Amino acid sequence: MDFSTSLGSPDFDSGWSKTEKVNGGNLFHRAIDGFRRDPNRMISAKGVIGADGKVFDAEAAAHATADSPLSRKLKGRHLQMIAIGGSIGTGLFVGSGKALSNGGPASLLIAFSLVGIMLYCTVHALGEMAVAFPVAGSFSAYSTRFLDPAWGFAMGWNYAMQWLVVLPLEVVAASITIDYWDSYISNAAWVAIFLVVIVSINLFGVKGYGEAEFVFAIIKVVAVIGFIILGIILNIGGGPDGSYIGGKYWYDPGAFNHGFKGLCTVFVTAAFAFTGTELVGLAAAETANPRKSLPTAVKQVFWRICLFYIVSLILIGLLVPYTDKRLIGASHSSSHASPFVIAISNAGIQGLDSVMNVVIMIAVLSVGNSSIYGSSRTLAALAEQKQAPKMFAYIDKRGRPLVAIVFASVFGLLAFLAASPAQDTAFTWMLALSGLSTIFTWGSICLAHIRFRQAWKLQGRTLDELAFRSQPGVLGSYIGFVFNVLVLIAQFWTGFAPVDYQDNTPLENTTNFFQAYLAAPIVLAFYIPYKLYYKTPFMKLQDMDLQTGMRELNLVELLAEERAEQANWPKWKKAYKFLC
């Protein structure tokens, strides 16, 4: 069975007779039965993308794809909202405050714009491969197939670990947002409530995840658009006090803070702020028609970067000076330090800051929701290929990787450390574990796309055979890869010698460096032993499998018909479809 056919959430009524549906049946027994393993459901057939770099018989894999009884529940609207709102979270709402404090408004704008270019190239590369091969655990699968199986193993565990530690971090962050209203209820109680909500959503399967993210994304998008409109009004003197702000904060205290090192610090923060954008590729395996819906979702990334990040951050730089002392407390979780909340508070608008704080809480819960989805699907895919404990490959009759979901949920219990004295230490190191993970994932996507295109050409394929082509092409993947390497270099420098390193002790500087760069040695710790033990080869272009995982066997004919139809579109429609 092919990767791409197996993660789709099946019909929830599968296995229930019409009589049971009419009469109600025994709800308890039906619920219990839904958790039992379905022997026909697997993330991937053994050997499709194996640990030894070999692949299953392409014809057999293609038949398994075509004949799969599994349905796929994610629709185009789900993918589009995951793409638009997927990475709108604490990185934008809270992390941008720390970035503004470290680098100033000009550094904020430059760094987020450059990282936006990098992400635009990366997501298009991912989109091209995900439309061609909508397989589960896509990032590790592409690294395994087009780079090196050992690197695919390292990337799979890197990505799973990233989301496993993000869950408790985000649950605690959500509970801390409640402190904005001086709540007397223990944070542990809120941790329990939020954890139950997130786990419950994921137990509804991929449809539950998709619908929840659809709602969360709409709320976040409306909030950002509303803030942009409000920010423009406040800047030109439409606030309660009627004072014109304009660009005065770019002159006093200034456009830059801490010079070039401040810019590099913001560069790193900006990269982390976009974490989660790649989930649209992971969700492709559970999409009804990725060839139709994924290109639209990928193209919208450009508009999300321009509108939601660049425009809103320009306004933040105009409305909040980087010397504001509240920004100094900007952390992963403190909504008090959010420049969005600070801008509204400075304007003296009563109650609206609380509304923005609610949005921040929803954004944090959205990331927590995605963390269970991302980690469980990646663990299940690894387990089927014997790269993770076999129990994670357990798929129940409703198409959920149940053991992997439970494991990720149990990891969330670490959030109760919020009530312990070791809270700060524990969460600092958990954040360090996930810090650089996304950079390795994005860099691997770009490099895999470069190798994929080289193999595609060598094996006599033409670009017309691709259902979706990356708009920046291979050049964009080179740009994306170089930018990812530059982020790693910037993180190394700012971790080794942060802006205030003269004021720290040698021990504090050493600790800061490992907290900033911990993910790198962990990736190597997964890669090197696996490489030496299994002696996996670097994949040669002529040996790369470019067939297994494709859903439509008559793709060339389908594309020819669609392109003939598109040739007759009016110019406005062609332009719209190119952009969106």
Side-chain angles (χ1 to χ4, degrees), residues 510-530:
T510 302
T511 302
N512 289 338
F513 173 75
F514 279 103
Q515 287 174 351
Y517 229 72
L518 183 62
I522 288 178
V523 167
L524 294 177
F526 277 110
Y527 174 70
I528 294 174
Y530 194 91

Side-chain angles (χ1 to χ4, degrees), residues 46-76:
K46 292 180 176 63
V48 171
I49 303 176
D52 59 357
K54 295 189 169 77
V55 295
F56 192 70
D57 177 18
E59 184 178 354
H63 279 297
T65 303
D67 300 334
S68 170
L70 302 180
S71 60
R72 302 173 180 91
K73 293 292 185 181
L74 286 181
K75 297 187 171 107

